[in-house]
Amino acid sequence: MGTLVTRYGAPRVVEAIRARELPPDFTTPETQQDQRPPNLTGRLNAWYARLSAANPAADLDAGEKSGARLIIPGSPEWPSQLDQLGPSRPLGLWLHGTANLRFACLKSVAVVGARAATAYGVHAAAELGVGLSEAGWSVVSGGAFGVDAAAHRGALVADSPTVAVLACGVDVCYPSEHDTLFAAIREQGVVISECPPGVHPTRARFLIRNRLIAALSRGTVVVEAALRSGALNTATHALTLNRHLGAVPGPVTSGMSAGCHKLLRERKAVCITSPEEMIDLVGVIGDDLATQSRAPAVPRDRLNEPTKRVLDAIPARGGAGPASIAVAAGVSLDTTLSALGGLAAAGYIERAANGWRLRKQTASYPKAPDTAVLEPPPVREDLDPTEDPPLPDDDDHPAPAGPAWRTVRA
Amino acid sequence: MGTLVTRYGAPRVVEAIRARELPPDFTTPETQQDQRPPNLTGRLNAWYARLSAANPAADLDAGEKSGARLIIPGSPEWPSQLDQLGPSRPLGLWLHGTANLRFACLKSVAVVGARAATAYGVHAAAELGVGLSEAGWSVVSGGAFGVDAAAHRGALVADSPTVAVLACGVDVCYPSEHDTLFAAIREQGVVISECPPGVHPTRARFLIRNRLIAALSRGTVVVEAALRSGALNTATHALTLNRHLGAVPGPVTSGMSAGCHKLLRERKAVCITSPEEMIDLVGVIGDDLATQSRAPAVPRDRLNEPTKRVLDAIPARGGAGPASIAVAAGVSLDTTLSALGGLAAAGYIERAANGWRLRKQTASYPKAPDTAVLEPPPVREDLDPTEDPPLPDDDDHPAPAGPAWRTVRA
């Protein structure tokens, strides 16, 4: 049907169906191209039956009555990115809402996922909705429970329009619990469908609808999806259209994240942990760069390598002379002496009766709140090197002059 | 030091350090290769000081007393994959345990991650340990709290040896709470270190140790890691050595998974959600393939496309004639009649007074247990097409003849 309309225009195709005879120059080349010639006569009969049952005037009336408008390719509001669907480009779209669909979709991200989303998935979808909307990106999604609704609700919190693509008529509220949500979307965004008013959803319409969600947006992010999920169908459409694809990871113990993990594992999708990272993926190079997630820097990072080694070799209690510190650190005595001077000046270490030791780093402990200034500061117990010192190879924030241990050999 | 030992052998290097004079043919070419000539004299002095403080005979005595053994490159138990470390290959390894290190590491995976792991990370690490061990793969890890300990404990449940690489002497129990864990590892696996007996851990030793964990195993999997984590250091070593790298995803809301997500996002690591997937990554092609995670198949999948469309167009209550079903499904009347016959024979639909309707699918409900055979089967309420039907585009398991809806236009 799409190929026919592309080649002859919708009016001539309607005439052909009404006459139950396809243009003769259409049938021949088409059957040559495809190995399996489509059963054109059968399709023509099915279209004829549908055309007989259709009542376009009533549809237009119903649409106008409900407040919806119909756009077709060439309308000022038509999103031209739909042309990339080729023959499966929709013949027209019913719109209901204040937002201009073309402008709303210029910078848009499809947020899709499971209807039976977990609390985690709903949270992630809402965060994406809020973050995208605050950054001036529109959300495109369906109208289902779970991820779809959470993404729209998140987007409605901020100012950007949000686009709900339905698998039923724009005047049909499916699911009916979403009547207030759809009303809010119509207020700030737009509800769209390629079905005429009054049409109810079927299984096939949901799958067909998914191509629109993928085609309208610059990229799709899958929030939660089981291995058998309509969201993965949308993801496939996005990949086919060469759009960006992201997936939000989740616990490996959650079946609702299994589809996302499969996309990540097959390297079809990019790992997305924040709205910024999704904008980085779909955005303009340079303009929409996400800030790199970086580890927090600690004062110790600023020390040079030999000084760090010297610091690590200084005991927390007692004291050690420069010579034994040099042996423990594995650096020369000259380097040790110069490092000791610097560390003492920076407040990391202090002189003890028998050499050098770490300074008690009260400053590295959480500051007492202002209301508690009269209370004594928290007391830090001296670290006993024979007991377990905090492990230095891990992610907790090492104190500027974290505890060090004398080696038995030092 | 490694370069020196590689070129002249350990005995000649010890002699040179004792004489405080490096071989003359060593200093010249080395300084030509590197732009910044290393301060060889300074290092030589540091080595000299350390050599003077060392007592190898006492180390060997202490090792023998604790039950440990020392292996060097060329020993039958030496894991030859350590040679890929080049000049940073350890000079020797202290081993304590019943397992043969070389054999234990032939098929091994490094499971690394945060000391401050969450319950989720501990669970994932233990699952990996159990699964790898049951499949005949050894676990290589450190000896810390959190992921390290959980991976070892998981491995100990099954029969494979597990390898703990310490940053202290093999006779030092750090952390001391792990004395029973280390005893169990010595029983079934082996505890190893490049530090002589009695040496305590320092920050630097943990970082140096990490290269051994990466080099001993065929691949490394990061279970939980904050952005600033020693596990990421091990991951870098694995990448440098061209070993496989995996990362276990987690909730995006968890800072302890941020390091894993960064590795996934930068496509440095493969997404790992099960032990099988890690074995698939490091295993032999063909032998160790993970079963693809696939969506469950439902009876409806076996229907062909026009039959599915006809099935979707049949109402759940009331009834519809073949002609209106054909229009709703968009297929020809012939196809519809043939599909209706097949669907009726397969038990999906039944004749109603005024056409066809879906059969009540009592069979798709959970079977009553045998003890409850006398109770009446669960009653299924008829679906009302004007109410919300279950969504068909999602991940819940659609019943074989899931509810369908008449469209308003049909």
Side-chain angles (χ1 to χ4, degrees), chain B residues 36-389:
Chain B
R36 289 168 56 196
N39 177 8
L40 279 175
T41 324
R43 290 216 189 152
L44 194 59
N45 286 336
W47 292 335
Y48 179 80
R50 284 202 154 181
L51 186 63
S52 315
N55 189 348
D59 287 343
L60 284 170
D61 270 358
E64 205 174 328
K65 209 176 283 174
S66 73
R69 57 194 186 274
L70 175 68
I71 61 169
I72 57 168
S75 299
E77 211 177 331
W78 187 261
S80 51
Q81 61 266 40
L82 289 180
D83 297 352
Q84 288 175 34
L85 286 169
S88 8
R89 184 179 75 170
L91 300 173
L93 285 174
W94 293 86
L95 275 56
H96 193 180
T98 57
N100 179 304
L101 181 65
R102 186 187 174 87
F103 292 150
C105 292
L106 274 182
K107 281 174 74 177
S108 65
V109 167
V111 181
V112 300
R115 189 169 58 98
T118 66
Y120 167 70
V122 168
H123 172 81
E127 286 283 324
L128 278 168
V130 174
L132 290 167
S133 193
E134 279 181 345
W137 287 77
S138 309
V139 165
V140 178
S141 191
F145 289 122
V147 168
D148 290 10
H152 286 306
R153 289 204 174 97
L156 290 170
V157 168
D159 278 339
S160 298
T162 185
V163 180
V165 189
L166 304 188
C168 51
V170 288
D171 58 341
V172 176
C173 188
Y174 175 83
S176 59
E177 286 85 344
H178 278 172
D179 49 355
T180 48
L181 175 66
F182 288 175
I185 294 174
R186 284 195 291 267
E187 191 79 15
Q188 187 177 322
V190 61
V191 174
I192 75 167
S193 173
E194 58 176 329
C195 300
V199 166
H200 279 254
T202 66
R203 198 187 292 262
R205 289 207 179 101
F206 280 104
L207 293 174
I208 295 169
R209 184 272 317 256
N210 288 343
R211 83 190 195 288
L212 295 182
I213 294 179
L216 281 172
S217 55
R218 285 229 208 135
T220 296
V221 54
V222 183
V223 174
E224 265 195 330
L227 289 173
R228 186 185 182 94
S229 167
L232 297 186
N233 172 259
T234 313
T236 309
H237 281 300
L239 287 176
T240 313
L241 292 164
N242 274 320
R243 303 294 167 86
H244 297 284
L245 183 61
V248 176
V252 297
T253 45
S254 162
M256 293 312 292
S257 286
C260 296
H261 293 153
K262 192 161 193 266
L263 289 175
L264 289 175
R265 193 168 153 68
E266 294 169 353
R267 308 217 170 191
K268 286 178 181 166
V270 176
C271 178
I272 298 293
T273 66
S274 68
E276 291 73 32
E277 289 182 356
M278 191 62 204
I279 294 170
D280 178 292
L281 187 64
V282 294
V284 179
I285 289 175
D287 279 5
D288 300 305
L289 215 60
T291 49
Q292 280 259 321
S293 22
R294 296 189 64 164
V298 296
R300 192 182 182 278
D301 294 343
R302 289 198 299 265
L303 303 179
N304 64 19
E305 198 47 47
T307 309
K308 277 186 199 162
R309 295 180 69 170
V310 169
L311 180 59
D312 283 343
I314 296 170
R317 63 160 47 170
S324 72
I325 291 173
V327 170
V331 297
S332 71
L333 189 58
D334 285 354
T335 314
T336 305
L337 288 171
S338 129
L340 285 172
L343 287 169
Y348 283 92
I349 57 171
E350 61 189 4
R351 276 191 188 281
N354 50 349
W356 294 91
R357 68 173 175 211
L358 293 180
R359 229 181 119 189
K360 292 182 189 175
Q361 288 291 327
T362 40
S364 74
Y365 279 81
K367 255 192 175 169
D370 287 343
T371 51
V373 279
L374 293 178
E375 289 176 23
V379 179
R380 183 198 186 189
E381 289 179 302
D382 254 357
L383 289 161
D384 180 351
T386 60
E387 282 184 11
D388 290 333

Side-chain angles (χ1 to χ4, degrees), chain A residues 166-249:
Chain A
L166 305 187
C168 51
V170 288
D171 58 340
V172 176
C173 187
Y174 175 83
S176 59
E177 285 87 344
H178 278 173
D179 49 354
T180 48
L181 175 65
F182 288 175
I185 294 174
R186 284 194 292 266
E187 192 78 15
Q188 186 176 322
V190 61
V191 173
I192 75 167
S193 172
E194 56 177 330
C195 301
V199 166
H200 280 254
T202 66
R203 197 188 294 262
R205 289 207 179 101
F206 280 105
L207 293 174
I208 295 169
R209 182 272 318 256
N210 288 341
R211 82 188 195 289
L212 295 182
I213 294 180
L216 281 172
S217 55
R218 284 228 209 138
T220 296
V221 54
V222 183
V223 175
E224 265 194 332
L227 288 173
R228 188 185 181 94
S229 167
L232 297 185
N233 173 259
T234 313
T236 309
H237 281 301
L239 288 176
T240 312
L241 292 164
N242 274 320
R243 303 293 167 86
H244 296 283
L245 182 61
V248 176

